[in-house]
Amino acid sequence: TKTDIQRASKVRSTKGLLIHVFGKIAAAFIYLVF
């Protein structure tokens, strides 16, 4: 159904955003440590 597709895309974008933020934090952490 349409709502399932919308929900799936929202979850995917949220997961992508979390990965992006985590990547930035990890990169900053690595930069500070090394």
Side-chain angles (χ1 to χ4, degrees), residues 4-5 8-10 13 16 21-22 24-25 27-30 33-34:
D4 287 336
I5 293 167
S9 64
K10 188 176 181 183
S13 63
V21 170
F22 184 75
K24 272 192 182 295
I25 292 167
F29 185 74
I30 290 165
V33 171
F34 305 105

Side-chain angles (χ1 to χ4, degrees):
T1 59
K2 194 174 181 181
T3 52
D4 287 336
I5 293 167
Q6 287 177 333
R7 195 181 297 123
S9 64
K10 188 176 181 183
V11 168
R12 198 180 300 120
S13 63
T14 302
K15 203 175 290 183
L17 185 68
L18 283 172
I19 290 167
H20 180 74
V21 170
F22 184 75
K24 272 192 182 295
I25 292 167
F29 185 74
I30 290 165
Y31 181 76
L32 286 169
V33 171
F34 305 105

